[in-house]
Amino acid sequence: MRLFRSDELLGIARETLEFILEACEDTHPNEYMGFLRAEDARKLDLDTDRSGQVITDVLVIPGTESNPVSATVRTNMKPNDVQSVGSVHSHPNGALRPSAADLATFGQGQVHIIVGAPYEWGDWRVFDNEGEPTTIEVLDVELPESHFFDFTQADIDRELAADGVDVQDGGPVDADDEDVADEDGSAGWLR
């Protein structure tokens, strides 16, 4: 059994690339920004003799701010993630080359994907950490179930019930507490 995974990046899962294209389109006209995470190829049903990593996930950092010309990540929110292999962001103007600001952020990770409008299959390019064009293979692999959040809805419901929240209607479990409607007529349980 090997203790360390290979640094060779074998490619990106087709499903992950499809997610990226959809996320970029959904964010338009603002830029989309995320970090690429890879899984050891030995954990995937990959028909290859090569060892290495496959990009399987995109991590979006809370508090990321974007507009039509930039996306800013709160770097203090980015986890120190050994599975991180690069970044992905969109260019709503369709340009498929890194800007000077992009190059300044390419220092961390092996690959950086830029996706341009209209966010279709051929509207993306890959660059190395120096900003030089490179390629990655799109792989048909079965993605592993995500264990990033190691809890279920049943776990959440149990915790809410233990805190006195009625999980059926989302309100507090207190006979004396009346639901208070917000201005729009909806009742909220966070008061």
Side-chain angles (χ1 to χ4, degrees):
M1 180 173 153
R2 292 176 33 205
L3 294 177
F4 301 102
R5 65 185 185 171
S6 170
D7 283 340
E8 182 183 3
L9 191 57
L10 301 178
I12 184 168
R14 180 176 303 279
E15 200 174 316
T16 303
L17 183 56
E18 288 169 353
F19 167 82
I20 289 169
L21 295 172
E22 288 175 23
C24 291
E25 185 177 17
D26 289 347
T27 307
H28 189 84
N30 293 332
E31 280 196 10
Y32 173 82
M33 178 73 187
F35 293 95
L36 302 170
R37 299 177 79 231
E39 191 72 47
D40 191 316
R42 294 175 294 177
K43 296 181 180 180
L44 305 171
D45 187 21
L46 186 62
D47 187 23
T48 184
D49 295 341
R50 297 168 38 207
S51 64
Q53 302 174 71
V54 176
I55 298 169
T56 57
D57 296 302
V58 179
L59 180 63
V60 178
I61 306 301
T64 297
E65 296 178 11
S66 69
N67 60 52
V69 295
S70 70
T72 305
V73 174
R74 298 168 89 184
T75 55
N76 64 326
M77 296 293 288
K78 184 179 178 213
N80 187 7
D81 188 355
V82 296
Q83 292 179 297
S84 182
V85 294
S87 67
V88 59
H89 76 280
S90 67
H91 283 173
N93 66 3
L96 293 177
R97 62 188 179 286
S99 67
D102 295 339
L103 293 172
T105 65
F106 280 8
Q108 295 180 343
Q110 296 173 305
V111 295
H112 304 276
I113 299 174
I114 296 177
V115 184
Y119 316 110
E120 294 181 4
W121 194 253
D123 298 327
W124 59 282
R125 299 289 180 273
V126 183
F127 301 89
D128 66 16
N129 62 359
E130 303 275 324
E132 295 298 319
T134 188
T135 60
I136 57 174
E137 191 175 342
V138 178
L139 302 169
D140 290 312
V141 297
E142 181 121 358
L143 294 180
E145 281 199 34
S146 178
H147 297 287
F148 188 74
F149 295 108
D150 197 17
F151 55 84
T152 65
Q153 184 63 47
D155 296 329
I156 295 169
D157 291 346
R158 272 193 300 281
E159 188 170 327
L160 288 171
D163 288 342
V165 176
D166 181 357
V167 295
Q168 296 301 317
D169 70 2
V173 180
D174 185 352
D176 296 333
D177 187 23
E178 296 179 23
D179 281 335
V180 178
D182 293 335
E183 289 178 13
D184 66 356
S186 63
W189 60 276
L190 292 177
R191 294 178 173 71

